[in-house]
């Protein structure tokens, strides 16, 4: 899984843009206050000084892309707390 988010706390976007990082989900899908199927995840070495509730919310890419670039919608579950994911920083 790759989670994309535009802005994060405590991370320099110039050094991480377009890179993927291993992360661990630290929230439950039901914790998202906006109910947008987002999660919070900790990237070791990037978020070591932040509490779990200070981490940014991540939009989760759960697959579903088509060859023509369209989307088939959400596929698969939102990763629960403790799940290892890949995080990719977008603009």
């Amino acid at each position: 899984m790759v989670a994309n988010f535009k802005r994060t706390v405590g991370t320099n976007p110039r050094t991480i843009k377009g890179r993927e990082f291993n992360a661990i989900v630290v929230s439950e899908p039901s914790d998202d206050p906006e109910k947008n199927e987002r999660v919070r995840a900790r990237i070791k070495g990037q978020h070591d000084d932040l509490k779990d509730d200070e981490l940014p919310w991540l939009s989760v890419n759960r697959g579903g892309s088509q060859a023509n670039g369209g989307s088939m919608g959400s596929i698969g579950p939102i990763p629960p707390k403790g799940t290892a994911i890949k995080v990719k920083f977008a603009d």
Side-chain angles (χ1 to χ4, degrees):
M1 295 197 168
V2 177
N4 295 304
F5 59 101
K6 294 184 178 182
R7 185 173 166 267
T8 184
V9 178
T11 307
N12 182 345
R14 291 181 182 165
T15 62
I16 61 170
K17 182 179 174 185
R19 292 179 54 198
E20 283 189 5
F21 296 87
N22 294 321
I24 300 293
V25 175
V26 298
S27 65
E28 293 295 342
S30 60
D31 293 343
D32 180 2
E34 296 179 11
K35 305 300 181 207
N36 287 329
E37 300 183 333
R38 300 175 302 167
V39 297
R40 286 184 162 145
R42 179 169 303 283
I43 301 170
K44 188 172 181 157
Q46 293 288 330
H47 296 138
D48 294 340
D49 58 338
L50 298 175
K51 297 176 186 173
D52 288 351
D53 64 352
E54 295 174 328
L55 294 169
W57 288 102
L58 309 174
S59 298
V60 179
N61 177 348
R62 296 184 285 152
S65 63
Q66 296 177 329
N68 66 1
S71 176
M72 294 177 4
S74 298
I75 296 177
I78 299 294
K81 187 174 184 175
T83 302
I85 62 171
K86 297 280 186 186
V87 175
K88 183 175 182 181
F89 291 84
D91 292 337

